[in-house]
Amino acid sequence: EKGQTPYEALGGEAVLTKLIDTFYGYVSEHPDIAPLFPEDFTETKRKQIQFLTQFLGGPTLYSDEHGHPMLRARHMPFVIKDTQAKAWLECMEEAMEQTNITGPIREYMLERLRMTSYHMVNSQD
Ligand code: HEM
């Protein structure tokens, strides 16, 4: 359909929620990044759904509640090297596969997330 946002192309809230639930399941089991996260992913998931909703052109849920994302600054408390960016992306790719996100929306999201992920790198391997 013409004039769709990526958020709509993905399938909106239902698909994004499923993707993010699946994603943090993989994150919680990935040895390179799991130790960085709190034991309870409830709040992390909630914020990530808010962020990705607006990142994909949906409602500005994240900024409405938390202000400017400043994602790189918000990640500075954590040591993030290329290894961690790669691990994050691996978990996202697996989650997309598991959630049956395919085709142009998959490629579009992975390309933008790859850039964002490496933008978070704040230490050298
Ligand atoms: C928060 C790790 C990449 C979006 C966090 C937190 C950690 C983390 C440990 C804090 C979790 C918590 O306390 O609840 C990482 C690592 C990355 C990465 C290791 C690898 C490069 C990304 C990317 C995005 C993202 C690519 C966006 C597409 C967020 C958001 C939050 C967050 C929105 C919540 C910020 C807030 O507190 O408001 N991340 N992250 N992260 N991350 Fe990442």
Side-chain angles (χ1 to χ4, degrees):
E1 191 189 313
K2 257 181 127 182
Q4 259 193 341
T5 63
Y7 178 69
E8 289 161 344
L10 177 67
E13 185 182 356
V15 175
L16 185 57
T17 301
K18 206 171 154 217
L19 174 67
I20 295 309
D21 275 342
T22 308
F23 169 69
Y24 284 112
Y26 288 121
V27 168
S28 72
E29 287 172 4
H30 199 304
D32 291 334
I33 48 176
L36 299 176
F37 287 86
E39 214 160 290
D40 182 351
F41 281 83
T42 311
E43 190 59 13
T44 310
K45 278 184 193 173
R46 195 178 74 83
K47 287 177 176 171
Q48 186 63 276
I49 291 167
Q50 290 178 322
F51 178 78
L52 288 176
T53 296
Q54 77 182 48
F55 185 81
L56 296 171
T60 56
L61 303 180
Y62 183 91
S63 293
D64 291 353
E65 183 172 330
H66 312 286
H68 193 289
M70 305 180 299
L71 273 195
R72 193 166 193 281
R74 291 192 205 261
H75 285 76
M76 285 308 277
F78 313 104
V79 174
I80 301 180
K81 304 179 178 181
D82 277 357
T83 306
Q84 278 67 42
K86 189 167 163 275
W88 194 102
L89 288 164
E90 277 168 18
C91 292
M92 183 57 75
E93 280 205 60
E94 287 179 65
M96 284 182 160
E97 203 168 303
Q98 184 71 29
T99 317
N100 296 312
I101 295 166
T102 57
I105 187 64
R106 175 183 184 278
E107 299 316 311
Y108 170 83
M109 285 179 69
L110 282 177
E111 188 182 327
R112 286 195 60 205
L113 291 173
R114 189 170 297 116
M115 285 192 288
T116 308
S117 187
Y118 283 99
H119 182 62
M120 299 307 155
V121 172
N122 54 30
S123 317
Q124 302 284 326
D125 268 309

